[in-house]
Amino acid sequence: MADFERFRLLLEEERQLKLALLPALRADIAAANSARQGANVDDEHDPEGATIAFELSQASALLNQSSASLDQVEAALARIAAGTYGSCAVCGRPIAEGRLEARPWTPYCIDHAAAGRS
C-alpha cells in the first residue's frame, strides 16, 4: 500500500510551485503585450516584433501548460480526499507506487496511461 500522505505532501508542494509560477507568467505576457503595442505591429518585417511575438508565444504556452498541470495536481488532491487516489480511473486497479512517485498526479495505471496521456 502506497503512503498517500507522502504523495499528498508532494502534490501540495507542486501546487504551491504552480500557484507561484502562474502570476509570473501572466506578468510576462502582459509585458510582452505592452512591448508589442509600443512596437511596429508588422512582426514579420520588424526584428523586434519577431522577438516579442516569440516571447509572447512562449509565455502563453508555458501559462497553458502550467494551468493544465495545476488542474491535474488539484484533481489528484481531490482523489486523495475522496479516497480514490492510487486507483486507475479506467480499470480501478492500483497504480504502481513507482508510477505515482514519477507522476503523483496521474489517475491512470501504466496500462492506461497512453489513453489518458498522464
Side-chain angles (χ1 to χ4, degrees):
M1 183 69 138
D3 177 7
F4 294 147
E5 179 62 16
R6 178 171 57 100
F7 291 116
R8 187 189 66 75
L9 293 173
L10 287 171
L11 288 162
E12 286 288 349
E13 184 178 311
E14 185 69 20
R15 181 178 183 270
Q16 292 306 314
L17 291 171
K18 297 295 182 198
L19 287 173
L21 178 63
L22 291 175
L25 291 171
R26 288 187 186 106
D28 287 349
I29 290 170
N33 276 328
S34 178
R36 190 176 207 187
Q37 289 175 354
N40 184 353
V41 294
D42 184 6
D43 291 349
E44 185 177 333
H45 297 100
D46 179 13
E48 277 300 307
T51 301
I52 293 169
F54 173 78
E55 289 174 4
L56 182 58
S57 175
Q58 186 176 32
S60 294
L62 287 172
L63 178 63
N64 290 338
Q65 182 182 31
S66 293
S67 293
S69 179
L70 177 60
D71 290 345
Q72 291 175 332
V73 167
E74 289 181 340
L77 288 166
R79 288 192 303 277
I80 288 174
T84 59
Y85 182 81
S87 296
C88 179
V90 175
C91 66
R93 290 182 300 180
I95 300 170
E97 190 166 349
R99 176 151 172 75
L100 290 173
E101 286 180 15
R103 300 180 68 85
W105 50 83
T106 187
Y108 305 108
C109 68
I110 195 69
D111 293 335
H112 294 106
R117 297 179 190 207
S118 181

